[in-house]
Amino acid sequence: MKIKRSPRLVDMTQYLLSHPHKLVSLTFFVSRYESAKSSISEDLTILKEQFELSGFGRIETVAGAAGGVIYIPTMSKEDAIVEVENLIYQLEASDDRILPGGYFYLTDLLSDPDQLRKIGKIIASYYAESKATAIMTIATKGVPIAQMVALYLNIPFVIVRRDSKVTEGSTVSINYATKGTTRVEKMELTKSSLPQGSHVLVIDDFLNGGGTITGMNSMLKEFNSTCAGIAVLCESDTPDREIDFEYESLIKVQKDPSFAKGFELTLGTMFKD
């Protein structure tokens, strides 16, 4: 049944938003709406302009017989800064962020779907051109962030664990040193979860000494895979920390008992000029 333009635009918008980073042919839309290719092209021109105006992202056209359109979710740097400043405001509103042992409490933020969507889109926008084919994180608090980034980039994500599960099947296990201590930790990843030769975006909730991410980088080598980038929600603002990998953070956390709440927050490295 042929569909008129207004409902066609609504349905086409919903389809594109639900299938980011996927090449969709014009013939697919022609068949879906029983409309002429010229009409579909006009629809896409309207959507392309409106998506950019509304901040949804951009619609790119791929020419040729096998071409079509690709929706790429993006957020401008200015909008991303506003969203992260709002996150900082929310985090600073609490008086008990610093837990015993010096840990920074993030669980309330990581359980908020609205905030997770914003965090996921910011990271996915930054790495939209990374050509990552998978996302890696470590259980447990990095999982919701990785899952949201995976949704916007439309790629799978894998979870590295510190202990094996019988339901995971055969695993690859590595040992890694915890930065700043002599303690050696273990992490494992299911053999079948990550294809050999993947290009992987590494995600974590908090960067302190860097040992966990160093471990995940070592895990990538076991799968003959490369790192497409490293992104963390928060990092400890430690000037004398020795980090041997490049990364981007959304928020920097400086902990000091002399501060009114024991900490101060600033924009992370992702927003450096």
Side-chain angles (χ1 to χ4, degrees):
M1 177 180 173
K2 189 172 182 179
I3 301 177
K4 293 183 178 179
R5 169 155 288 169
S6 293
R8 194 168 68 219
L9 287 171
V10 172
D11 188 79
M12 194 179 294
T13 297
Q14 178 60 35
Y15 186 88
L16 291 172
L17 290 175
S18 301
H19 298 82
H21 289 274
K22 177 184 177 181
L23 179 63
V24 185
S25 67
L26 265 62
T27 54
F28 170 82
F29 287 132
V30 167
S31 175
R32 184 180 177 92
Y33 306 122
E34 297 182 7
S35 301
K37 185 174 286 189
S38 58
S39 297
I40 297 299
S41 295
E42 291 172 2
D43 292 347
L44 289 169
T45 299
I46 294 170
L47 291 181
K48 183 176 182 179
E49 180 180 350
Q50 192 57 48
F51 271 39
E52 292 178 359
L53 287 173
S54 301
F56 291 163
R58 65 182 188 272
I59 297 175
E60 294 187 352
T61 302
V62 179
V69 294
I70 302 175
Y71 162 56
I72 301 177
T74 59
M75 183 184 295
S76 69
K77 183 176 180 179
E78 293 73 20
D79 288 344
I81 287 174
V82 170
E83 295 296 354
V84 173
E85 286 177 339
N86 287 335
L87 290 176
I88 288 174
Y89 177 80
Q90 180 177 330
L91 290 168
E92 289 179 336
S94 174
D95 292 324
D96 51 0
R97 289 284 167 193
I98 305 300
L99 302 176
Y103 296 102
F104 192 72
Y105 183 71
L106 287 169
T107 301
D108 57 337
L109 190 70
L110 298 178
S111 62
D112 185 329
D114 185 50
Q115 300 297 356
L116 277 174
R117 277 192 292 268
K118 294 172 183 176
I119 293 167
K121 189 171 184 180
I122 291 168
I123 296 174
S125 296
Y126 190 87
Y127 291 99
E129 307 301 329
S130 68
K131 301 189 184 301
T133 59
I135 290 171
M136 176 183 286
T137 191
I138 190 163
T140 55
K141 292 182 181 178
V143 173
I145 303 173
Q147 188 171 22
M148 198 58 64
V149 177
L151 186 149
Y152 280 109
L153 290 179
N154 200 14
I155 56 178
F157 73 99
V158 298
I159 304 172
V160 177
R161 301 184 185 278
R162 291 188 172 88
D163 56 345
S164 60
K165 306 287 184 182
V166 294
T167 55
E168 296 292 318
S170 299
T171 61
V172 173
S173 175
I174 66 165
N175 295 321
Y176 68 99
T178 304
K179 294 291 182 71
T181 73
T182 57
R183 190 169 72 251
V184 174
E185 301 278 2
K186 182 180 76 170
M187 61 172 60
E188 299 182 346
L189 181 62
T190 305
K191 282 185 178 180
S192 60
S193 64
L194 184 66
Q196 294 284 319
S198 296
H199 195 44
V200 182
L201 176 60
V202 176
I203 301 287
D204 206 359
D205 65 313
F206 202 95
L207 171 61
N208 196 3
T212 300
I213 291 177
T214 297
M216 285 194 278
N217 280 334
S218 297
M219 182 67 77
L220 290 181
K221 295 177 183 177
E222 296 295 320
F223 287 82
N224 297 314
S225 296
T226 56
C227 181
I230 299 169
V232 298
L233 172 58
C234 295
E235 67 162 311
S236 178
D237 189 5
T238 309
D240 57 350
R241 179 178 57 200
E242 294 183 4
I243 295 291
D244 56 2
F245 52 80
E246 295 183 359
Y247 68 92
E248 299 295 348
S249 62
L250 273 66
I251 299 171
K252 283 193 173 185
V253 182
Q254 186 176 3
K255 292 177 282 187
D256 193 312
S258 65
F259 295 147
K261 295 186 177 182
F263 67 93
E264 284 189 353
L265 307 179
T266 55
L267 292 173
T269 61
M270 191 174 285
F271 309 104
K272 293 188 300 185
D273 294 330

